[in-house]
Amino acid sequence: KDKSVLGVIGHNSSDATKPALAEYKPAELAIISPTSTSIFLQGNNFFRTVPSDAAAGKKLAEYARKSLGLNSVVIFYNPDSPYSDSLREEFTNNFEKLGSSVVRKMNLTEPKFDPETEVPKSLYEDNAQAIVLFPDRRNTDVALNIAIANAQQMARLKNNPNPKRQGLKLLGGAILYSQITLDQGAESIEGLVLDVPWFREAPQAKNFAQKAAQQWGGSVSWRTATSF
């Protein structure tokens, strides 16, 4: 109702943008999002400077199959999150097109969810080669607990003189690209592969990254670049 508002830049996540769009559409208020990637966000008033999960899911699936040689994975996600469910759908569709399979999809928000149970189950019962972490913002700590449980499982396998199985590789979405992941995950996330829209060490990104670091006194992430 405020006619002085000409448009919106935001929001921080797809989960916040989805309910906001319901308000903006009737008012014909344009929104440009730098960080909302869900494929379920649509409308003639919705724009974004970040690639959608269609691109991220495809790229991660191709890397998993072609570069890592993975044939089977387990996905951990939140089906009630537009972001999380979007990535799950795009990764699954592209991974299976390449002849590989998602052997199980697990809801991170289940009340009795136990990472220390789910990791061995993924390894021995599902015969998965990797865990794919697609948490929403509210469940990143759960995803990191899975990574920690996986590291503990790998340590046990190393101590086994005749291990029949190797540990599970880790892949994930851009939401895990943060200092929180580094602080909480520590050595447990060593080798974690993430798909991100922009990386400051990429040749085409260095010019902006250097100027941004000079202006703000520190290195910036992909969220800063797409917001700028």
Side-chain angles (χ1 to χ4, degrees):
K1 293 179 181 180
D2 186 347
K3 300 299 181 183
S4 67
V5 179
L6 302 180
V8 175
I9 296 177
H11 297 265
N12 187 42
S13 68
S14 298
D15 295 359
T17 301
K18 184 179 179 180
L21 270 179
E23 299 294 326
Y24 299 156
K25 284 181 181 178
E28 297 183 340
L29 188 67
I31 171 175
I32 304 175
S33 177
T35 52
S36 298
T37 58
S38 174
I39 59 171
F40 304 126
L41 301 174
Q42 297 177 357
N44 57 11
N45 66 319
F46 175 70
F47 308 91
R48 51 184 154 207
T49 58
V50 62
S52 77
D53 290 331
K58 184 174 186 291
K59 196 75 173 179
L60 194 62
E62 289 176 347
Y63 187 84
R65 181 68 188 95
K66 298 177 181 179
S67 297
L68 299 180
L70 300 178
N71 295 309
S72 58
V73 303
V74 173
I75 293 179
F76 292 90
Y77 77 115
N78 178 6
D80 295 323
S81 161
Y83 162 76
S84 182
D85 194 38
S86 171
L87 259 182
R88 186 271 317 156
E89 180 167 312
E90 290 298 325
F91 177 88
T92 300
N93 291 342
N94 285 282
F95 195 56
E96 291 179 346
K97 282 180 183 177
L98 295 170
S100 298
S101 61
V102 176
V103 292
R104 187 163 59 99
K105 302 173 185 118
M106 187 64 198
N107 186 349
L108 288 168
T109 66
E110 288 285 346
K112 295 183 179 180
F113 184 85
D114 180 15
E116 293 186 4
T117 299
E118 294 302 328
V119 168
K121 183 177 181 180
S122 299
L123 182 63
Y124 296 112
E125 293 184 26
D126 299 325
N127 291 314
Q129 296 169 297
I131 287 172
V132 184
L133 302 172
F134 290 149
D136 57 324
R137 190 166 298 281
R138 290 167 294 182
N139 292 287
T140 54
D141 59 331
V142 182
L144 292 175
N145 285 337
I146 294 171
I148 292 170
N150 184 56
Q152 293 171 343
Q153 177 72 25
M154 291 180 70
R156 288 192 289 269
L157 288 172
K158 286 181 179 179
N159 294 328
N160 188 331
N162 298 300
K164 295 181 180 180
R165 295 296 309 276
Q166 299 299 314
L168 294 159
K169 295 185 182 300
L170 294 176
L171 297 93
I175 199 166
L176 290 173
Y177 189 85
S178 72
Q179 190 63 41
I180 294 174
T181 298
L182 294 174
D183 292 341
Q184 295 185 10
E187 294 179 356
S188 300
I189 59 164
E190 186 71 33
L192 170 63
V193 176
L194 301 179
D195 183 284
V196 294
W198 180 91
F199 181 56
R200 60 178 174 263
E201 297 297 328
Q204 65 269 35
K206 285 191 174 182
N207 185 45
F208 172 77
Q210 290 169 358
K211 290 181 179 179
Q214 291 172 359
Q215 180 165 336
W216 290 309
S219 299
V220 298
S221 73
W222 67 267
R223 298 170 184 87
T224 305
T226 54
S227 297
F228 180 85

